[in-house]
Amino acid sequence: MSEARTVTAAALAIGDELLSGRTRDKNIGHLAELLTAAGIELQEVRIVPDEQDRIVEALNALRSRYDYVFTSGGIGPTHDDITADAVAAAFGVACTHDADALELLGAHYAERGMEFTEARRRMARMPVGSRHIDNPVSRAPGFVIGNVHVMAGVPSVFQAMLDNVLPTLKTGVKILSGKVSCPYGEGDIGDPLSAIAKAHPAVNIGSYPRFSGDKFSTEIVIRGRDQAAIDAARADIETMLTSVGMKLGATAD
């Protein structure tokens, strides 16, 4: 359902491999894109190692501050997959083998003619009181507890889980955006663009430099929840660019 207020979220990526550079995160950008489209603002991202105290500390800070928290990583079958235990500790509940998850995974491995080892049984562990997040890729479920959605780190699995989560979330007013292509560098437009940003507090104005090999240009992006406010800021930016062009032309002469 849609509400007039802002709905906020944070992401918590878990794993030593992310911090060492062995693995490059591919989930945060995907999450940000889908949440923005749904009218949910991703306002903070943290990356923490596979250390329970660090995970608990970050999770408790984020879940108290935002409407939703999405975690990725650390719910696999190996000894260093400790996210389920850490989430349980953060909520002050036990982490146990979930009966429905055990049944689901047991049937999955039986169908494949594979032994349901103790390592694979670890993927059925979750905090008491959790609800499953369906995993159509590899069957091992993620889980939801409170406002925390715990999902796999493997991008294809994370994305599939997120597709199942999104329809269950409350959403806010969607962010609208507009773009203005500027043929000048940020150094030429920085001061007047700052003045325009102050004059239009209802929108967020970002400038992104481009370099074509011989000259700089800038892409200006205007974001907000009201189209009229975006249009008003765009009009002032276009007027400013005309003025800057005339000034630069006079200087060149």
Side-chain angles (χ1 to χ4, degrees):
M1 67 181 175
S2 182
E3 298 181 351
R5 74 179 189 87
T6 300
V7 179
T8 61
L12 180 61
I14 299 165
D16 295 336
E17 68 279 5
L18 297 173
L19 293 168
S20 69
R22 292 194 306 273
T23 299
R24 294 186 179 182
D25 180 84
K26 296 181 179 179
N27 296 325
I28 293 171
H30 181 79
L31 175 67
E33 182 178 359
L34 267 61
L35 291 182
T36 298
I40 300 172
E41 289 191 16
L42 182 62
Q43 294 189 346
E44 186 172 350
V45 173
R46 297 193 190 188
I47 302 176
V48 295
D50 294 306
E51 297 177 15
Q52 180 162 313
D53 289 346
R54 297 285 297 277
I55 298 170
V56 170
E57 177 186 18
L59 185 61
N60 280 336
L62 295 173
R63 71 187 181 94
S64 66
R65 188 174 302 151
Y66 301 105
D67 293 306
Y68 297 116
V69 179
F70 301 91
T71 79
S72 62
I75 56 172
T78 59
H79 71 284
D80 59 346
D81 288 312
I82 61 170
T83 297
D85 296 275
V87 173
F91 279 87
V93 299
C95 185
T96 63
H97 287 91
D98 179 86
D100 291 337
L102 280 174
E103 183 178 354
L104 175 72
L105 287 170
H108 172 63
Y109 285 108
E111 290 169 3
R112 299 173 64 189
M114 301 173 66
E115 182 182 357
F116 192 26
T117 63
E118 189 56 40
R120 290 170 177 146
R121 287 170 59 89
R122 279 181 57 81
M123 293 187 290
R125 298 177 72 251
M126 56 187 65
V128 171
S130 298
R131 306 186 312 275
H132 288 198
I133 298 175
D134 185 44
N135 171 8
V137 177
S138 56
R139 301 293 291 276
F143 58 85
V144 183
I145 180 170
N147 63 339
V148 178
H149 296 74
V150 179
M151 296 180 284
V154 176
S156 61
V157 180
F158 178 90
Q159 292 172 19
M161 287 183 174
L162 184 58
D163 287 343
N164 288 320
V165 166
L166 281 172
T168 71
L169 305 179
K170 60 186 177 184
T171 61
V173 179
K174 294 183 179 180
I175 299 294
L176 307 173
S177 66
K179 295 181 182 179
V180 179
S181 295
C182 166
Y184 314 117
E186 287 187 306
D188 295 318
I189 64 169
D191 290 340
L193 189 62
S194 294
I196 290 173
K198 290 180 181 178
H200 295 273
V203 301
N204 177 272
I205 300 175
S207 62
Y208 305 94
R210 302 285 187 265
F211 185 64
S212 63
D214 58 355
K215 65 174 295 186
F216 282 97
S217 61
T218 308
E219 181 179 74
I220 301 171
V221 179
I222 312 157
R223 298 183 179 89
R225 291 185 169 82
D226 182 74
Q227 188 63 51
I230 292 174
D231 292 342
R234 188 206 304 269
D236 282 358
I237 291 170
E238 290 173 344
T239 299
M240 176 269 290
L241 293 181
T242 299
S243 176
V244 169
M246 293 174 64
K247 179 180 178 180
L248 293 176
T251 302
D253 292 341

